[in-house]
Amino acid sequence: MTDETANTTADVPDEPGIARRNWHRYEYGRDRGHRDFCRIARVNEGMYLGGGLQWTEGDRQALIEAGKPCFEFNQILPKVNAALGYQIANRMDIAFRPRNGQATDDVAGTLSKVAMQIGDNVDLHWKETQVYADGLIQQRGYFEVKVDYEDSLLGEITIDALDPMDVIPDPDAKSYDPDSWADVTVLRWMTLDEIEANYGKEARAKLEVEDPDEEDFGDDFDDEERNHFGDSSIGTSDRFGEMTVGDGCKRVRVVDRQYWRREMADCIVTDTGDIRRIDGMTEDRINTILQAGGFRIKRRIRRVRWTVTTMNHVLHDDWSPFNHFTIVPFFPFFRRGLTRGLVDNAVGPQQMLNKSLSQYLHTINTTANSGWITWAGTINNLRADELEDRGAESGLHIEMKAKASPDQMPRKIQPNQIPQGLDRIVDRSAMLLEQATGINEAMMGQRGPETSGIAIQSRQ
């Protein structure tokens, strides 16, 4: 082999190897906690939405077979909605203030207006509330902030609110700041048209030749179903959960991963000692720094590598144009890698409320027809089975036979008394919900007119 052939071979990227490494990293993050997080997030969302989702299917079937009710008295939804209302009422706009150097009030005012314009263009306030709701309900919320060139050749900032069940942070990280994470992975399901629009015709051609062969519906094996307008009643995919064609339109699971890597790069050192990568700087900016006492160096620096693959093919693998990950997390309660939301601690009290109220109603229902004691051959107008069915009716008429003695009159069985403390459990459950969420009746606007506005504001 000649030197030229060897160099050419070395420059060819190992696409199958890159794709497999990216896929294995996705599987590592999925198995190291993300799948468990998705189960908790699905339970929390069911507790928030209610409508039959606060009971597991197994518990529901067991109660139905036992003839007991399984009612829901959803107290989590109004409390979370009250917190969302407070966020909407108290959210702030981005504003700039002059600090030092050449900063002025005019420049700060201009930047504030630019930030406000960008926020309006991307519906920032609406997406901020959506991410906030994701955090309260499912422990985690994520923004994706990047530059898009779809509508402008110069590029414009776009902000999206991602499904937290589709974002896999570094499972070995323990810091809130993504700059300290090794990587972050976003799972996407994309049609071939979307892949062609984002990654070109060659990427589409790679995927058109692959055929899915088994059922998966777009959700991974043993994974929780994602929210969408439709259900998961039809669809096919391969056994690795890579593709779906449920509606006749092929969709491919795309693993979008950003991670840190070090490389040698041309840098410039400013007169204050700051090290900046030259790539992306204008010549005027470089000359200004050099004239102020800066100098050029070659140095190994940390950069963001952006790799987008399917299970077997590379769609994109290059250095990111951004200095940080495009994923920005929001965790309402965070403790060294452990995340919690508002709903987590309310699940127990809500389940306790549902079970205690259902049991309370079941106990009351069973006392309505506690049964009868009769003597054989003494009732003239009702058979024994009719008395069982109609014994609790209002205005029931029982006719005794003429020869029956008064001592043989039917007697109502005295029902068992409702267990003491059952009603107090119901009240205690409602109180625990307030304590777990921190949302009291004053915050929900449920205080009566006899309470002064100043007192309500003090409680809030």
Side-chain angles (χ1 to χ4, degrees):
M1 180 182 296
T2 64
D3 292 340
E4 181 178 355
T5 305
N7 292 336
T8 303
T9 304
D11 292 339
V12 174
D14 179 20
E15 286 202 5
I18 294 174
R20 294 302 298 175
R21 286 193 294 272
N22 219 39
W23 189 271
H24 288 159
R25 180 62 181 178
Y26 145 64
E27 291 182 325
Y28 176 80
R30 179 196 63 191
D31 296 336
R32 281 286 312 277
H34 184 70
R35 180 174 285 166
D36 294 335
F37 159 74
C38 288
R39 292 194 180 99
I40 295 173
R42 175 59 62 190
V43 170
N44 288 355
E45 190 165 50
M47 298 301 293
Y48 166 71
L49 293 176
L53 299 178
Q54 291 187 344
W55 294 89
T56 64
E57 191 59 31
D59 290 343
R60 185 182 300 278
Q61 291 299 325
L63 289 172
I64 291 175
E65 292 175 1
K68 296 182 178 181
C70 51
F71 296 117
E72 287 184 6
F73 306 90
N74 192 353
Q75 297 297 304
I76 293 180
L77 185 142
K79 295 187 182 301
V80 172
N81 287 350
L84 293 177
Y86 272 80
Q87 186 271 333
I88 293 173
N90 295 286
R91 60 192 176 195
M92 295 177 289
D93 291 320
I94 300 173
F96 293 82
R97 297 177 61 186
R99 182 174 180 181
N100 53 30
Q102 299 179 355
T104 63
D105 288 332
D106 291 339
V107 174
T110 301
L111 291 176
S112 298
K113 292 178 181 178
V114 170
M116 188 178 300
Q117 175 66 24
I118 293 173
D120 290 340
N121 287 342
V122 300
D123 297 325
L124 175 61
H125 284 323
W126 184 84
K127 292 173 181 176
E128 183 182 19
T129 299
Q130 186 177 3
V131 171
Y132 182 71
D134 288 337
L136 294 186
I137 298 167
Q138 296 183 305
Q139 300 184 357
R140 304 173 185 177
Y142 296 96
F143 292 101
E144 184 176 31
V145 184
K146 58 185 179 181
V147 177
D148 183 73
Y149 296 90
E150 186 71 23
D151 296 328
S152 172
L153 289 177
L154 299 178
E156 58 184 8
I157 296 175
T158 61
I159 300 178
D160 293 320
L162 301 180
D163 185 342
M165 297 174 70
D166 290 337
V167 181
I168 306 178
D170 176 14
D172 299 310
K174 59 175 68 175
S175 171
Y176 201 124
D177 186 0
D179 281 351
S180 65
W181 301 355
D183 64 355
V184 61
T185 303
V186 181
L187 304 179
R188 308 181 193 274
W189 282 92
M190 304 178 68
T191 65
L192 296 183
D193 290 337
E194 291 171 333
I195 289 176
E196 180 180 349
N198 289 315
Y199 305 108
K201 292 183 178 180
E202 183 179 350
R204 175 174 183 150
K206 295 177 184 178
L207 302 174
E208 281 183 331
V209 298
E210 298 201 7
D211 295 322
D213 57 11
E214 287 190 4
E215 201 172 75
D216 182 53
F217 315 138
D219 299 318
D220 201 0
F221 287 114
D222 299 326
D223 201 359
E224 297 299 319
E225 181 183 351
R226 302 297 192 265
N227 288 339
H228 35 62
F229 286 109
D231 58 20
S232 298
S233 59
I234 60 172
T236 57
S237 76
D238 74 349
R239 61 191 179 89
F240 295 104
E242 183 192 4
M243 294 188 181
T244 68
V245 289
D247 56 355
C249 181
K250 182 185 292 187
R251 287 178 172 82
V252 183
R253 185 193 296 275
V254 175
V255 179
D256 185 334
R257 178 169 167 250
Q258 301 172 53
Y259 53 99
W260 294 104
R261 179 183 287 182
R262 292 192 175 272
E263 67 146 1
M264 292 296 296
D266 292 325
C267 300
I268 193 168
V269 180
T270 67
D271 57 335
T272 59
D274 295 329
I275 302 172
R276 297 292 181 265
R277 194 174 72 250
I278 291 180
D279 184 21
M281 282 189 180
T282 63
E283 287 297 328
D284 291 341
R285 175 63 175 161
I286 294 174
N287 293 331
T288 300
I289 296 176
L290 293 176
Q291 292 172 4
F295 58 92
R296 292 173 180 259
I297 62 170
K298 268 191 148 328
R299 180 185 176 92
R300 285 182 60 85
I301 62 172
R302 193 175 77 150
R303 295 184 62 184
V304 178
R305 188 76 177 181
W306 200 334
T307 303
V308 185
T309 67
T310 64
M311 181 177 175
N312 300 308
H313 302 287
V314 176
L315 304 180
H316 174 81
D317 182 38
D318 202 351
W319 296 108
S320 172
F322 309 110
N323 295 328
H324 308 274
F325 295 154
T326 61
I327 306 302
V328 179
F330 165 67
F331 309 131
F333 305 102
F334 182 85
R335 174 64 183 169
R336 296 194 180 278
L338 300 178
T339 56
R340 291 294 182 270
L342 193 67
V343 174
D344 288 87
N345 291 326
V347 171
Q350 179 64 60
Q351 291 176 335
M352 182 178 174
L353 179 64
N354 289 340
K355 292 179 180 179
S356 59
L357 270 173
S358 296
Q359 183 62 33
Y360 191 81
L361 291 174
H362 173 67
T363 303
I364 293 176
N365 291 337
T366 55
T367 61
N369 188 10
S370 57
W372 295 83
I373 298 176
T374 62
W375 278 260
T378 59
I379 299 178
N380 190 44
N381 62 336
L382 291 174
R383 299 191 308 271
D385 57 341
E386 292 177 331
L387 185 61
E388 291 178 3
D389 295 336
R390 301 176 53 195
E393 290 182 1
S394 298
L396 177 67
H397 174 72
I398 300 177
E399 181 180 301
M400 301 289 296
K401 290 187 177 180
K403 296 182 178 180
S405 66
D407 294 337
Q408 294 178 332
M409 291 178 59
R411 299 176 186 174
K412 185 78 171 178
I413 298 176
Q414 292 298 319
N416 294 328
Q417 297 295 320
I418 296 178
Q420 292 185 357
L422 186 57
D423 54 343
R424 290 196 294 273
I425 292 179
V426 175
D427 296 336
R428 184 59 179 167
S429 301
M431 187 184 303
L432 288 174
L433 271 168
E434 287 191 1
Q435 295 174 353
T437 60
I439 307 295
N440 55 44
E441 57 183 4
M443 296 181 68
M444 299 174 65
Q446 295 179 351
R447 300 295 292 180
E450 71 281 355
T451 306
S452 69
I454 296 177
I456 293 177
Q457 289 179 352
S458 299
R459 292 200 65 187
Q460 292 175 347

